Amino acid sequence: MKYLLFSLLTFFTGSISNFALAPWDYIFVLLFSFPLFFLVLQDIYNEKKIKNKILSFIFFGNIFLFGYFLFGLLWISSAFDYREGFAELKFISIFGLPFLLCLITTPGWILTALIWGKGIRGCFALSAGIITGEFLRSYLFSGFPWNLFGHSIGFNDLSIQVGSIFGFHLSGFFVILFSLAPILFLKKSTLTWGIIFSLILPASMLYGYFRLPSEIKYLDKDFLIIQSKISQDKKLNSKEIGNIAKKFLELSKTDNEVDLIIWPENAIPVFLSENQDIRLMLMQDIESSNNLLVGDLIIKNESDIYNSAVLISEDGEITSSYDKVHLVPFGEYLPLSKYLKKFNFLKVLTNEQGLSKGKSYDPISTPLGKARVLICYEIIFSNEVMRSEIRPNFIVNLSNDAWFDDNSGPYQHFSNAKFRSVENGLPVIRSSNKGISAIIDPYGRVIEKLSLNQEGSIYSRLPEKIPETIYSRYEHLIILALLFLYFLCYRKN
């Protein structure tokens, strides 16, 4: 009966922890969920055999995360509503994905069990174990760093600034310590540590207060972001291509002559790269700019298809392009296809070949300067933004969020654009279909945005980038330094 109660309690605490993330951003819910979870772990730590302790930590830790992933990633299942025969995949996305992520993060719970101790040591053990699991799920099997606990500091422009030092993986370490402060107030011996932990968030906001400038510096280069609200049903209907093109041309009308117009990922469902006449027609109908950056599918070597972004000049020529490097597993390609293609319900997601993976992380040249293009969920991978020796002037994120309806997914997708801005000190331009489009300054502040399902355009000059952040320069050194300090603390205890 005790273990049943503990199981229900940990599942509940993991589930409600989602309210700390977008679109709710109630970070203080963690002050309730994590202390309750900590008390469960503290109780089961009294197991005499180390093997039983480890198994118990794995069991209850994964119940906590299963609730967290189940409700936090429920929006993914809506992507399978647009084609017939996807019932099995919808079921897998709802229950199978959380289960897989729990398996991947299991070594983190083993670490927690091995270094657990009373009071302050247990707090550090829990924080270290969860963040270890988050690192593992961010890199293994293509990686999926969605809804990290560090993302909960995105509720405020001040608190988010610590991401420029630690990034948002390691920020989660401090978020969890802050969340465990109530536990330390229960005993006089740990009261001082409780006060220290409770000051983590205020200290972060104080740092943000001193870091943020009062004014934004702009370059003398301007652009127009287009956001459409075209349903996925229409994008999959070939009869709607003409109407979709007309809609984008209509939205691109402006009284300002701009250096660049930006359309979302795969804005018009045709192979623009293969149709010079269509490209020329579009540019002739666009009167406000001589340059268009738009998502497209590119065919190379007769059979390789890439999810790309192309820059089209006034004469309809493609002057530069970027091919998406980090593809969506089961959406743009079938991992382990040699084995999984035997299952028809998986095979229907992509064709036999799927999309091809791009090879270059280099920025492309645009009228606004060097642009690091990130297509769709590439924006969630902090370690892949700066893989080139060339530092770009800005990041541009093209996306199509129509797959995910009006759930929490598009809000969390947008939040990641803010995180990448803070980490790298670069402005972010985001153009999305049925998502949230915006211009974000190099400090992660939203200058202007179009809300979910809003149709329209944003005119702006380009914010000036700032010098490299501590995180972008010393990411790996910071990780090693914090691990070293943590184990020093562990040995002392």
Side-chain angles (χ1 to χ4, degrees):
M1 188 64 184
K2 172 184 173 181
Y3 281 89
L4 175 61
L5 178 62
F6 281 178
S7 298
L8 294 174
L9 184 60
T10 53
F11 180 80
F12 171 72
T13 55
S15 300
I16 65 170
S17 295
N18 282 288
F19 287 105
L21 306 169
W24 306 282
D25 290 321
Y26 301 141
I27 188 173
F28 295 105
V29 74
L30 300 180
L31 292 171
F32 174 74
S33 62
F34 268 103
L36 284 178
F37 180 46
F38 181 92
L39 291 174
V40 171
L41 296 180
Q42 186 69 66
D43 187 89
I44 64 175
Y45 181 71
N46 294 325
E47 293 275 0
K48 293 182 179 180
K49 294 182 179 180
I50 185 64
K51 179 181 177 181
N52 291 341
K53 289 179 183 180
I54 293 175
L55 291 176
S56 295
F57 269 72
I58 292 173
F59 179 74
F60 287 106
N62 281 335
I63 288 179
F64 175 85
L65 285 184
F66 188 82
Y68 183 68
F69 294 139
L70 178 66
F71 290 100
L73 303 176
L74 196 60
W75 55 270
I76 294 177
S77 64
S78 61
F80 302 110
D81 292 335
Y82 294 98
R83 293 181 186 174
E84 295 182 0
F86 277 16
E88 297 95 338
L89 284 167
K90 188 166 185 174
F91 178 84
I92 289 175
S93 72
I94 294 174
F95 298 103
L97 179 59
F99 180 75
L100 176 62
L101 293 174
C102 286
L103 288 179
I104 293 173
T105 56
T106 292
W109 297 120
I110 297 174
L111 174 66
T112 302
L114 291 175
I115 62 178
W116 187 272
K118 294 182 178 180
I120 180 67
R121 185 164 158 182
C123 294
F124 277 106
L126 180 55
S127 300
I130 289 180
I131 300 309
T132 297
E134 289 194 336
F135 269 105
L136 291 174
R137 72 176 172 96
S138 297
Y139 292 93
L140 297 181
F141 305 109
S142 178
F144 192 58
W146 195 283
N147 286 1
L148 305 177
F149 282 104
H151 291 170
S152 59
I153 62 173
F155 74 97
N156 185 277
D157 287 341
L158 299 179
S159 59
I160 201 175
Q161 299 307 313
V162 295
S164 66
I165 300 177
F166 303 112
F168 290 88
H169 280 88
L170 287 178
S171 292
F173 181 87
F174 298 107
V175 165
I176 297 170
L177 291 181
F178 165 76
S179 302
L180 291 170
I183 284 292
L184 301 177
F185 284 123
L186 298 177
K187 292 184 177 180
K188 187 176 180 180
S189 60
T190 57
L191 181 60
T192 301
W193 279 105
I195 295 172
I196 293 173
F197 284 5
S198 66
L199 292 175
I200 289 176
L201 184 59
S204 299
M205 298 183 72
L206 183 63
Y207 168 74
Y209 175 80
F210 286 110
R211 182 174 191 263
L212 287 178
S214 57
E215 295 183 357
I216 302 171
K217 295 181 179 180
Y218 292 92
L219 300 175
D220 191 23
K221 298 176 180 180
D222 57 2
F223 57 91
L224 192 71
I225 302 172
I226 304 301
Q227 174 165 300
S228 53
K229 58 174 184 178
I230 301 166
S231 68
Q232 200 59 32
D233 292 329
K234 287 186 177 181
K235 289 181 74 69
L236 294 173
N237 186 352
S238 59
K239 296 179 181 179
E240 292 288 339
I241 293 175
N243 293 330
I244 293 173
K246 289 178 182 178
K247 174 56 67 175
F248 275 104
L249 291 171
E250 178 185 326
L251 292 171
S252 300
K253 292 180 180 178
T254 176
D255 295 332
N256 301 302
E257 183 75 21
V258 296
D259 295 308
L260 181 64
I261 291 178
I262 302 168
W263 289 359
E265 175 190 14
N266 197 21
I268 302 176
V270 296
F271 288 92
L272 290 175
S273 59
E274 298 294 305
N275 291 276
Q276 167 82 13
D277 293 339
I278 294 179
R279 298 198 305 268
L280 184 59
M281 179 195 71
L282 290 174
M283 297 310 298
Q284 288 174 343
D285 288 340
I286 294 176
E287 299 177 355
S288 54
S289 180
N290 294 328
N291 298 280
L292 171 66
L293 182 66
V294 57
D296 186 32
L297 293 177
I298 293 181
I299 301 175
K300 298 181 180 180
N301 303 321
E302 297 185 356
S303 60
D304 294 333
I305 303 176
Y306 296 84
N307 187 358
S308 307
V310 295
L311 182 65
I312 305 174
S313 63
E314 61 180 326
D315 57 4
E317 294 294 327
I318 295 176
T319 56
S320 60
S321 65
Y322 165 79
D323 300 326
K324 185 177 182 181
V325 176
H326 204 127
L327 301 177
V328 180
F330 299 104
E332 293 174 319
Y333 78 103
L334 189 62
L336 302 174
S337 59
K338 180 179 178 181
Y339 307 100
L340 296 182
K341 69 180 181 181
K342 298 176 183 178
F343 299 95
N344 288 331
F345 69 94
L346 289 176
K347 187 177 175 181
V348 294
L349 276 172
T350 62
N351 58 32
E352 286 284 345
Q353 184 176 355
L355 296 181
S356 298
K357 179 181 178 180
K359 298 177 177 61
S360 175
Y361 294 93
D362 289 342
I364 65 171
S365 297
T366 75
L368 304 181
K370 294 289 185 180
R372 174 64 172 105
V373 180
L374 298 169
I375 298 176
C376 191
Y377 97 140
E378 283 188 312
I379 194 72
I380 75 174
F381 297 97
S382 59
N383 62 306
E384 295 183 5
V385 177
M386 293 300 175
R387 287 282 189 90
S388 172
E389 295 181 359
I390 305 169
R391 188 169 187 246
N393 299 97
F394 65 101
I395 297 169
V396 59
N397 179 214
L398 308 182
S399 186
N400 173 30
D401 290 345
W403 293 100
F404 306 115
D405 297 331
D406 301 339
N407 300 304
S408 60
Y411 294 97
Q412 294 160 2
H413 202 179
F414 171 67
S415 293
N416 274 276
K418 296 167 59 178
F419 302 149
R420 300 296 85 77
S421 172
V422 173
E423 287 174 338
N424 297 286
L426 297 173
V428 175
I429 300 172
R430 189 168 197 269
S431 176
S432 176
N433 174 52
K434 290 202 72 178
I436 302 174
S437 298
I439 172 66
I440 303 169
D441 80 357
Y443 297 93
R445 295 178 293 190
V446 178
I447 298 173
E448 187 175 351
K449 74 173 183 178
L450 294 167
S451 300
L452 187 67
N453 288 325
Q454 184 180 352
E455 185 179 79
S457 63
I458 299 174
Y459 168 80
S460 177
R461 286 185 296 148
L462 180 67
E464 186 178 354
K465 67 181 179 181
I466 61 176
E468 285 184 282
T469 63
I470 295 175
Y471 172 80
S472 61
R473 283 186 179 183
Y474 307 113
E475 173 188 0
H476 300 297
L477 290 178
I478 292 172
I479 294 172
L480 291 174
L482 285 175
L483 286 175
F484 178 70
L485 289 174
Y486 171 72
F487 283 109
L488 280 182
C489 178
Y490 167 67
R491 288 188 64 184
K492 185 177 180 180
N493 276 280

